Amino acid sequence: MIMYTIVPQELLFQADESVSNSHSAIELNGVPMLVQQTGDQSCEIVRLLSSNPQHYLDSQYAPGQKINISYRLS
């Protein structure tokens, strides 16, 4: 892909480590997802990483949903 823009490449493709460090990839009930830890025992779904379209139609796996975890993400 070719992108013609006057915006510097550093602004377009930022590698913000604070965002990547706060997200973790987990699998819940066979559904791979990216979550952000919001508390000691809770996470918020950021995005699904599944290739199954049925997972995207299930409202319990919608981005923004809170899930409880019994282990600490690293």
Side-chain angles (χ1 to χ4, degrees):
M1 177 173 103
I2 299 174
M3 184 180 299
Y4 296 100
T5 180
I6 60 170
V7 179
Q9 184 176 5
E10 294 79 24
L11 292 177
L12 289 174
F13 306 108
Q14 292 182 357
D16 189 5
E17 290 184 23
S18 64
V19 171
S20 64
N21 288 340
S22 66
H23 293 113
S24 298
I26 67 166
E27 188 169 316
L28 178 68
N29 299 329
V31 181
M33 60 184 71
L34 193 65
V35 296
Q36 179 178 11
Q37 191 163 0
T38 57
D40 288 338
Q41 295 291 319
S42 64
C43 290
E44 181 178 342
I45 299 174
V46 177
R47 70 186 270 202
L48 293 181
L49 304 173
S50 175
S51 60
N52 185 347
Q54 292 299 319
H55 293 159
Y56 291 88
L57 296 173
D58 195 344
S59 62
Q60 72 177 350
Y61 303 124
Q65 291 290 334
K66 304 279 186 193
I67 56 174
N68 291 325
I69 56 171
S70 59
Y71 59 91
R72 186 164 178 86
L73 297 174
S74 56

